[in-house]
Amino acid sequence: MRKKISLIGAGQIGGTLAHLISTEELADVVLFDVVEGMAKGKALDIAQSTSVDGFDVNLVGTSNYDDTKNSDVIIVTAGVPRKPGMSRDDLLGINLKIIKQVAEGIAKTSPNAFVICITNPLDVIVMALQKYSGLPTSKVVGMAGILDSSRFKYFLSQEFKTPTKNINTLVLGGHGDTMVPLPNHTTVNGKSLKQLVTENKITKEKLDAIINRTRKGGAEIIKFLEKGSAFYAPAAAGVEMAKSYIKNLKKTLPCAAYLNGEYGFKNLYAGVPAIIGSQGVEKVVEIKLEEKEKENFKVSINAVKELFEAAIKIDPDLSN
Ligand code: APR
């Protein structure tokens, strides 16, 4: 039987997710939005491309949670995107309220689903989604690391004039200005960035500028678009996670996963490499970090903690 993926939020990312999932025939798609017409319109539009593109999945648009019942995967983008000049953190109050409604809807209709959260500020919203829904921590995960890594890879590919597929990298920490790209765990055509700096193939300054641009990757796009934030790359990253779960690929993917002692942290979500298979997050992979990387990771974790404290002030229920 074909799997079922429900997309909570049928905006820019939700619509792009629906299109990607359909063309890949990964699952039947339910597009859910409080703005019902948007969900229905996009579902119908994509469905009308099936004969041209030759794919065969069911697409439904709705504003009723019953239609999302027994989903295998739920991808959450419901929320308000950042506006120019707005930090991810400004979004917190508005998006917490929305996420509470969404979590209750999911808990009632698809308690066994694998839930991927994309709504910002990511690390805190995913934590709230897990708490509000009561779903197991292994079944609730945030999408950030794949996107951050793919931005880093893209900028490096431009610099080294080589396709992104020749670059391996990893980005740790929270999704935001404190994210931690790891040059020691990054290779271009098999050579580490450290080695490439030593060989003068790239200057330290240039590399730092690329890392900085990666950290601000989302803001750069917001500035161009003026209305709304990035959606093609975030949607592609969400699909990769859904696919690893549905097809039990057990890929190691950087994502916002629940830490229970890994890397020395407990009881919070942060960007780490995690194995995603049919059980959800099957394992958080602990890579060896250098002192400086550990320090940066801690700074990033502290930023997430601080924002979560702010969330608890808005809704004290989150402290339970
Ligand atoms: N339930 C379901 N959908 C909701 C709710 C709700 N309670 N509240 C708002 N929405 C819907 C909006 O109607 C809108 O269609 O969420 C959708 C969000 O879509 P966009 O505004 O187009 O935002 P998008 O670009 O898709 O980004 C969504 O992902 O990357 C993050 O920062 C981004 O938090 C934002 C999220």
Side-chain angles (χ1 to χ4, degrees), residues 11-13 32-35 38 77-79 81 98 101 118-120:
Q12 296 282 56
I13 301 179
F32 175 102
D33 204 290
V34 281
V35 183
M38 173 115 85
T77 60
I98 294 175
Q101 278 179 10
I118 300 187
T119 303
N120 275 318

Side-chain angles (χ1 to χ4, degrees), residues 8-14 32-35 38 42 65 76-82 88 91 95 97-99 101-102 118-121 228-231 234:
I8 312 298
Q12 296 282 56
I13 301 179
F32 175 102
D33 204 290
V34 281
V35 183
M38 173 115 85
K42 288 192 180 182
Y65 273 103
V76 179
T77 60
V80 176
R82 260 195 300 170
R88 275 196 188 85
L91 286 179
N95 284 349
K97 270 202 198 114
I98 294 175
I99 251 25
Q101 278 179 10
V102 172
I118 300 187
T119 303
N120 275 318
S229 47
F231 53 100

